[in-house]
Amino acid sequence: MASQALLIKDIHLEAKIFSRRLLLGVILVFGLSLLLTARLAWLQILDFDHYSDLALQNRVKISPLAPSRGLIYDRNGVLLAENIPSYNLEITPEEISDMPSLLKRLQQLLSLEESDLNRFRKQVARSPAFESIPLLTNLSDQQLALFEVSRHNYPGVEVLATLQRHYPEKELFAHLLGYVGRINEAELEKIDPINYRGTTHIGKLGIEQQYESLLHGQSGLQSREVNSHGRPIRVLDEERPTEGDSIVLTLDRDLQQVAYDALGDESGAIVAMDPRTGEVLAMVSRPSYDPNLFVHGISTKDYSALTSNVETPLINRAIRGQYPPGSTIKPLTALAGLENNTIDPATKYFARPFYQIKGQERKYRDWKRTGHGWVNVVDALAVSSDVYFYDMAHRLGIDKMAEMYDQFGMGSITGIDLPGEKTGILPSREWKKKRQNIAWYPGETLIVGIGQGYMLTTPLQLANFTSCIAMRGGCREPHLLKTQLSKEAGKQDLTTEGWQIELKNERNWDHIIEGMINVMHAPNGTARRSAADAEYKIAGKTGTAQVFSLEEDERYNADELARDLHDHALFVAFAPAENPQIAVSVIVEHGGGGSSTAAPVARQVLDAWLVKEDTKPDG
Amino acid sequence: MVELSGERRSRLSLRLDPILLLGILLLGVLGTVVLYSASGQELDVVYKQAVRIAVGLFVMTLIAQTPVHWFRETAWWLYLIALIMLVLVLVFGDIGKGAQRWLVVGPIRFQPSELMKLAMPMAIAAWFATRQLPPNTVESLIALVLVLVPMFLIVRQPDLGTALLVGSSGAIVIFFAGIGWRLLLVLLSAVAAGVPVLWHFMHDYQRRRVMTFLNPENDPLGAGYHIIQSKIALGSGGMEGKGWLNGSQSSLQFIPERTTDFVFSVYAEEFGFIGVAVLVLLYLSVVLRGFYLAYTAQDTFARLLGASLGMIFFVYFFVNVGMVSGLLPVVGVPLPLVSYGGTSMVTLMAAFGMLMAIGNEKRLMPK
């Protein structure tokens, strides 16, 4: 009954309501039409003289002037990103009567690619017809000559000289600088349309993206008088664009080169920083790519070659590569043990070949088949005893370890001035609960204590915590911008941000630093070969990170494994140990052992920096 | 042979409303005349526009033969399809970075928001048709949600102008359905109160865009340039205009988008205030004829749909002319039936086809 009642409608009431509303609609339509008519009468009748004058004078065309982009230097004034002249072929669509045939003729003359034409057509479709649009950028000398000879056949087509971005160091700084590329639709939504009117390129990655606002500058305007056909006659007024600010980075080109070469053809990353200031001196990620490819829009072939490469050259491993830290984390584990009085620096512990949690069958093996025998914390660091740290970690518990790692920045971004930094993973009870909704197992504490298991870090985080140790808790935020060379404000140096890690017992710094020195200089130190004949004292720590987990009784045998299952080789160090000037982290993907592969690489970087500093002291 | 009665004979002929058809044809012809001048005397443009009008008229004729209850029965399906396609556009737009308003299936390029322009008033009218008018608060609010969801999707494309037009095509139906004045007042106040809140949550660049939108003089090379040039063209046309093909503003190419969004500026420069008055009267007669067809329609669905189609046609006209004359912000709405362009022409003609179909149904009930 109820549903039927709904269908019986009062048709007369509905018609009445509708008629009343329709009447209101008619009144609205008339009112608004009157408003429009009045507005046009005002413009066309009352203001006729005014606009008539304006129309006669309307011989002025306004066009934007793009600012030239700021340059990028290394700390010694070596140019890393510059602007070089290039010639573009531009077309003003509204001056062309038959675009398809024009494009066909130009395609024959200059052997254009179909992709250029498609990009051009797309841009024509979304731009006002009076704006000139580049058909071809970066003309070759031959193309330039061919066009100039027959340019009278192509009214409405112009050759314009512009500045284009160029990266003279090519692959060396690709991940750091990033590159500029054509502004895409997504970026178009975010930029200031007024300031970017004449700008075609925008910083896409790295420093170019990070400091886009400094580097871009302020766009200008030019008004030109035109004749009755719209051709410019003379410039009436010009508001010059303000150049973008140039910037000086903390990087050292030569050190970067040494680090880049030291990695050889291996995939991996190196970060070197000055622990006193947080200045990043070198940051290498291999394999790399040539950023100049991207400036003009990379060809499909080149791009798919880069993206299909299994070694992922486009990724900046130094800030986006996440690796288990392996034994390089042991100094922090030791510090947690010392601070919580879980271990005593003097007490020796007998490190057997394996460790067992009471009441459990599973054997947690040491990397050394025979075990290390009697070791204290300093020895345990030097020989990298796993069993010593299993025991300590088990007694210490995950919460206190995680607290210490957290103080050194694990699991959070360092805040470096590069876009896209990853956080890594700092495993803890809460983290595991949130991620997998499973309780924490005691065995997991053990393997986190030696930097395996869930824990992941970026090479930058490794260099960062090594710097913190070097400065005995005086951490500095890693950064790349050293100086901003502003036209208006002059030279502006950047102040460094930092924080202090306070220990309950300051002496604990000595113990872990002594352990790290012994890694390099004690007769049983894991990286003693890499410190041989060093003119300065190094404090370091080797690490070997498993790519997959071994069964309890399996032994790792590189010869039997595919290359991409080989262990990652890691190494962190600072030097000189008593007066630290540089901290380094090295990771060689699938490089095998940290002491055999990663430490020698770091040694080359340390030598390049410290020996150079002896001869010409840095300001 | 049996003599066909008068009524039977008219059933065999194409059932097109002669007055509406005349208005549409006059506007279309006027449009091609202006386009010839606006395009710099390119016959190609005129030819293409004529083809579009012809295709549009064909679509209109087809739809005009359809019984009105078909519209009501397909309304929800059309609405649902348009909604799904709007979501697809957003998803694929995110991947492709290109123009997000278009859906490309093989050789066919299609703007789902155009379909929504028709589906929206149909669906809202269908919603009210099964209910006793005037609608209560809950029914009005449900209708409002039906209007806001596609609007939100179109805003995300982002295409604020189209979103507002699609939204108003639904809102107009709600108004004609007799939404209570008190509720209307509350909703309007809510919108007014929501503006500062929205502003608070916007990014800097979004605020800058809104500012440029409201005050184009901020951007002397973009929107501001368009408006300044357009006003000069309008004003210098004077009472009688500069004559066909003689508009200096348009031939010197100062008016941007002069075949599409700013075609009215070219018309007003060349035909003056007298021409403008004629054009306004033409549009008015089309709108009022549409209203009349809705008024004489036989049921609530047909009345609501017809009136809203007439009204939205007027809104397009008003927004476009308001925009080029500097009364309203520049939102990129073409002048209906006159501006150069494909999809919108077919949409418009389909709407007129529906209006004519409504006019064809005989009144069954006395007033």
Side-chain angles (χ1 to χ4, degrees):
Chain A
M1 273 310 284
S3 64
Q4 263 189 333
L6 274 176
L7 292 175
I8 299 166
K9 306 212 297 178
D10 186 341
I11 293 165
H12 295 282
L13 174 66
E14 293 204 343
K16 208 171 106 189
I17 290 168
F18 176 74
S19 302
R20 273 203 231 127
R21 287 291 162 105
L22 191 63
L23 185 63
L24 285 173
V26 172
I27 293 171
L28 192 69
V29 164
F30 271 107
L32 291 177
S33 302
L34 213 60
L35 177 68
L36 281 187
T37 316
R39 169 67 177 171
L40 286 157
W42 179 16
L43 288 173
Q44 299 196 291
I45 300 170
L46 295 180
D47 279 354
F48 170 66
D49 292 338
H50 170 65
Y51 284 113
S52 201
D53 278 356
L54 281 181
L56 284 177
Q57 295 161 10
N58 203 351
R59 290 283 155 90
V60 180
K61 273 195 179 183
I62 304 171
S63 44
L65 297 174
S68 67
R69 198 171 173 85
L71 307 178
I72 304 175
Y73 300 96
D74 91 334
R75 62 190 296 124
N76 302 312
V78 178
L79 207 50
L80 302 182
E82 59 184 335
N83 304 314
I84 59 172
S86 103
Y87 296 94
N88 295 348
L89 196 69
E90 302 209 346
I91 299 179
T92 311
E94 65 178 7
E95 291 173 14
I96 307 300
S97 53
D98 187 359
M99 186 67 88
S101 95
L102 173 79
L103 291 181
K104 198 167 272 176
R105 283 190 296 147
L106 282 171
Q107 188 174 17
Q108 277 169 0
L109 182 73
L110 304 171
S111 47
L112 300 176
E113 285 185 27
E114 201 54 42
S115 60
D116 289 321
L117 294 178
N118 284 335
R119 195 187 57 209
F120 174 76
R121 288 191 197 106
K122 262 189 209 155
Q123 214 179 337
V124 168
R126 64 166 179 243
S127 308
F130 60 90
E131 262 178 24
S132 85
I133 291 165
L135 171 65
L136 189 62
T137 52
N138 201 20
L139 268 71
S140 67
D141 290 345
Q142 198 198 356
Q143 285 172 321
L144 196 61
L146 276 172
F147 180 76
E148 286 297 333
V149 170
S150 52
R151 84 175 303 164
H152 57 275
N153 294 329
Y154 299 99
V157 185
E158 288 174 290
V159 171
L160 294 175
T162 58
L163 290 174
Q164 75 159 61
R165 203 60 157 173
H166 180 65
Y167 305 102
E169 301 290 348
K170 299 196 174 77
E171 290 87 358
L172 195 52
F173 287 92
H175 299 106
L176 282 158
L177 298 179
Y179 49 81
V180 297
R182 291 190 170 281
I183 300 174
N184 65 32
E185 300 262 348
E187 286 152 352
L188 215 52
E189 288 301 313
K190 306 236 161 162
I191 55 180
D192 177 357
I194 300 170
N195 197 21
Y196 276 79
R197 266 260 138 196
T199 308
T200 55
H201 286 61
I202 191 166
K204 298 273 185 183
L205 277 175
I207 289 290
E208 292 274 29
Q209 183 190 355
Q210 181 79 25
Y211 292 113
E212 173 66 27
S213 58
L214 299 183
L215 293 165
H216 178 263
Q218 202 66 34
S219 130
L221 292 179
Q222 188 184 54
S223 44
R224 289 172 300 178
E225 185 179 341
V226 295
N227 68 11
S228 58
H229 301 295
R231 282 258 151 246
I233 305 167
R234 65 192 169 102
V235 174
L236 294 176
D237 190 25
E238 206 174 64
E239 184 189 314
R240 295 295 310 161
T242 314
E243 279 174 34
D245 291 346
S246 291
I247 56 179
V248 177
L249 301 181
T250 59
L251 298 163
D252 184 286
R253 192 225 157 267
D254 295 339
L255 188 68
Q256 179 85 3
Q257 183 80 58
V258 169
Y260 188 80
D261 294 342
L263 262 185
D265 290 329
E266 304 286 348
S267 294
I270 300 177
V271 176
M273 55 190 276
D274 187 332
R276 298 165 296 182
T277 56
E279 291 182 349
V280 175
L281 304 171
M283 183 186 276
V284 169
S285 172
R286 287 197 78 153
S288 188
Y289 60 92
D290 184 354
N292 293 304
L293 289 175
F294 285 88
V295 176
H296 287 296
I298 187 164
S299 73
T300 323
K301 199 180 105 223
D302 288 343
Y303 189 65
S304 59
L306 284 174
T307 47
S308 62
N309 187 336
V310 290
E311 298 294 338
T312 60
L314 293 176
I315 288 175
N316 183 359
R317 289 172 157 74
I319 60 168
R320 291 179 67 81
Q322 303 183 97
Y323 308 91
S327 300
T328 59
I329 203 72
K330 281 177 182 166
L332 299 186
T333 314
L335 200 56
L338 290 165
E339 278 287 284
N340 291 291
N341 297 316
T342 309
I343 50 168
D344 176 78
T347 309
K348 296 228 173 191
Y349 168 86
F350 189 79
R352 296 188 296 157
F354 58 83
Y355 180 82
Q356 272 176 307
I357 299 174
K358 224 172 237 156
Q360 287 186 17
E361 278 296 300
R362 177 169 178 166
K363 291 173 178 174
Y364 294 86
R365 297 190 177 278
D366 199 283
W367 65 270
K368 193 172 176 186
R369 218 183 275 250
T370 57
H372 297 278
W374 288 102
V375 288
N376 65 11
V377 65
V378 172
D379 304 328
L381 283 171
V383 300
S384 202
S385 163
D386 290 335
V387 168
Y388 181 92
F389 281 92
Y390 289 148
D391 174 61
M392 185 212 302
H394 183 58
R395 291 188 288 128
L396 187 56
I398 184 65
D399 299 332
K400 292 193 168 127
M401 280 157 54
E403 193 186 319
M404 182 59 73
Y405 300 150
D406 175 59
Q407 285 202 58
F408 283 85
M410 301 293 126
S412 40
I413 57 166
T414 65
I416 192 173
D417 42 355
L418 277 180
E421 189 186 359
K422 296 261 187 187
T423 61
I425 292 174
L426 169 56
S428 64
R429 263 180 235 279
E430 300 85 67
W431 172 83
K432 196 182 172 198
K433 188 94 186 144
K434 215 155 93 188
R435 172 75 173 272
Q436 303 176 330
N437 203 18
I438 307 175
W440 186 266
Y441 299 123
E444 292 169 337
T445 309
L446 269 56
I447 52 174
V448 166
I450 63 159
Q452 294 286 163
Y454 299 118
M455 191 161 196
L456 291 177
T457 52
T458 66
L460 179 63
Q461 285 174 328
L462 295 179
N464 189 38
F465 91 68
T466 310
S467 289
C468 285
I469 295 174
M471 299 311 291
R472 304 168 75 88
C475 303
R476 292 281 169 271
E477 195 168 274
H479 61 272
L480 287 160
L481 182 63
K482 190 170 171 65
T483 314
Q484 179 188 348
L485 303 170
S486 168
K487 276 266 147 59
E488 286 136 31
K491 203 173 141 180
Q492 284 178 308
D493 281 324
L494 262 98
T495 51
T496 311
E497 312 253 327
W499 71 98
Q500 180 71 38
I501 297 173
E502 302 286 354
L503 294 190
K504 289 179 207 146
N505 183 356
E506 284 291 309
R507 290 270 304 151
N508 288 336
W509 290 117
D510 300 333
H511 300 310
I512 63 162
I513 291 173
E514 192 190 342
M516 290 175 75
I517 293 173
N518 284 359
V519 168
M520 310 303 297
H521 299 286
N524 57 354
T526 51
R528 60 191 179 279
R529 283 188 200 88
S530 296
D533 312 322
E535 295 168 30
Y536 46 88
K537 210 179 248 181
I538 309 170
K541 185 71 198 77
T542 54
T544 303
Q546 287 172 4
V547 175
F548 69 106
S549 29
L550 291 165
E551 289 302 310
E552 191 183 335
D553 289 315
E554 265 184 297
R555 299 296 306 183
Y556 173 82
N557 186 342
D559 295 339
E560 291 174 1
L561 289 170
R563 168 76 179 164
D564 60 355
L565 291 176
H566 284 197
D567 292 344
H568 295 318
L570 293 99
F571 185 70
V572 298
F574 62 88
E578 58 287 343
N579 171 30
Q581 293 173 27
I582 180 169
V584 181
S585 70
V586 174
I587 173 150
V588 181
E589 286 183 10
H590 313 300
S595 53
S596 55
T597 315
V601 170
R603 172 69 192 276
Q604 290 184 51
V605 175
L606 295 178
D607 272 354
W609 188 247
L610 294 170
V611 175
K612 181 192 99 176
E613 282 219 318
D614 283 350
T615 48
K616 47 168 191 181
D618 184 69
Chain B
M1 285 294 283
V2 182
E3 282 260 3
L4 289 170
S5 70
E7 194 186 316
R8 294 291 294 276
R9 203 181 297 126
S10 78
R11 272 177 183 275
L12 285 179
S13 68
L14 289 177
R15 304 192 302 171
L16 298 173
D17 185 73
I19 299 178
L20 202 51
L21 184 63
L22 185 68
I24 293 166
L25 285 178
L26 281 175
L27 281 171
V29 169
L30 199 65
T32 51
V33 169
V34 182
L35 279 180
Y36 181 66
S37 171
S39 63
Q41 305 179 27
E42 267 188 58
L43 270 175
D44 192 39
V45 168
V46 173
Y47 170 71
K48 279 185 187 157
Q49 183 78 351
V51 169
R52 275 179 197 139
I53 294 174
V55 170
L57 286 173
F58 177 71
V59 170
M60 180 185 82
T61 310
L62 275 187
I63 293 180
Q65 315 308 312
T66 316
V68 175
H69 66 90
W70 284 22
F71 303 147
R72 192 172 61 208
E73 282 150 16
T74 53
W76 291 112
W77 289 109
L78 278 181
Y79 180 85
L80 198 67
I81 291 168
L83 204 62
I84 290 169
M85 288 201 292
L86 283 175
V87 173
L88 287 181
V89 159
L90 278 186
V91 172
F92 290 117
D94 279 345
I95 299 165
K97 274 182 201 159
Q100 291 191 6
R101 294 165 198 183
W102 298 88
L103 211 56
V104 182
V105 184
I108 304 163
R109 267 158 60 85
F110 181 74
Q111 240 176 322
S113 53
E114 288 294 327
L115 179 60
M116 193 48 103
K117 281 179 183 170
L118 295 176
M120 171 77 85
M122 286 168 76
I124 306 293
W127 167 253
F128 287 121
T130 54
R131 272 148 193 91
Q132 173 66 49
L133 300 186
N136 61 30
T137 307
V138 175
E139 286 161 355
S140 303
L141 288 180
I142 290 173
L144 193 67
V145 171
L146 292 172
V147 173
L148 289 179
V149 170
M151 247 187 109
F152 173 75
L153 291 174
I154 300 171
V155 166
R156 291 285 303 274
Q157 287 184 357
D159 189 350
L160 186 63
T162 305
L164 288 174
L165 289 180
V166 169
S168 53
S169 74
I172 287 166
V173 185
I174 302 180
F175 173 78
F176 281 131
I179 184 181
W181 290 111
R182 195 176 297 170
L183 183 59
L184 195 63
L185 202 68
V186 169
L187 290 176
L188 288 177
S189 335
V191 169
V195 167
V197 179
L198 197 66
W199 181 261
H200 179 77
F201 285 107
M202 273 198 280
H203 293 294
D204 265 354
Y205 74 89
Q206 288 172 322
R207 289 185 189 173
R208 222 164 27 224
R209 262 154 206 277
V210 173
M211 289 310 289
T212 310
F213 176 77
L214 293 177
N215 182 13
E217 325 281 319
N218 272 350
D219 182 7
L221 291 173
Y225 178 88
H226 294 195
I227 281 305
I228 293 162
Q229 295 301 336
S230 172
K231 272 157 73 177
I232 293 175
L234 292 174
S236 65
M239 180 63 90
E240 287 155 27
K242 298 174 186 172
W244 189 47
L245 305 179
N246 284 329
S248 66
Q249 289 295 295
S250 38
S251 65
L252 277 184
Q253 307 174 346
F254 282 112
I255 303 175
E257 320 267 357
R258 48 190 193 284
T259 58
T260 54
D261 291 356
F262 284 81
V263 72
F264 183 84
S265 314
V266 177
Y267 175 80
E269 182 184 17
E270 297 187 346
F271 297 97
F273 183 70
I274 294 173
V276 168
V278 169
L279 194 73
V280 170
L281 285 177
L282 264 177
Y283 276 103
L284 264 183
S285 54
V286 169
V287 172
L288 292 179
R289 181 63 187 175
F291 281 179
Y292 173 77
L293 293 177
Y295 179 71
T296 56
Q298 60 161 336
D299 65 8
T300 303
F301 173 77
R303 279 195 288 256
L304 289 179
L305 181 61
S308 68
L309 291 177
M311 192 66 177
I312 197 68
F313 179 72
F314 178 76
V315 169
Y316 288 178
F317 164 70
F318 178 76
V319 170
N320 177 271
V321 176
M323 171 181 104
V324 301
S325 61
L327 274 183
L328 297 173
V330 177
V331 284
V333 174
L335 187 62
L337 295 177
V338 174
S339 282
Y340 188 63
T343 329
S344 60
M345 180 70 83
V346 175
T347 317
L348 273 173
M349 291 296 199
F352 284 126
M354 285 200 271
L355 260 177
M356 288 183 180
I358 289 167
N360 287 333
E361 305 249 319
K362 289 279 176 291
R363 282 170 72 88
L364 299 177
M365 293 281 175
K367 188 138 178 250

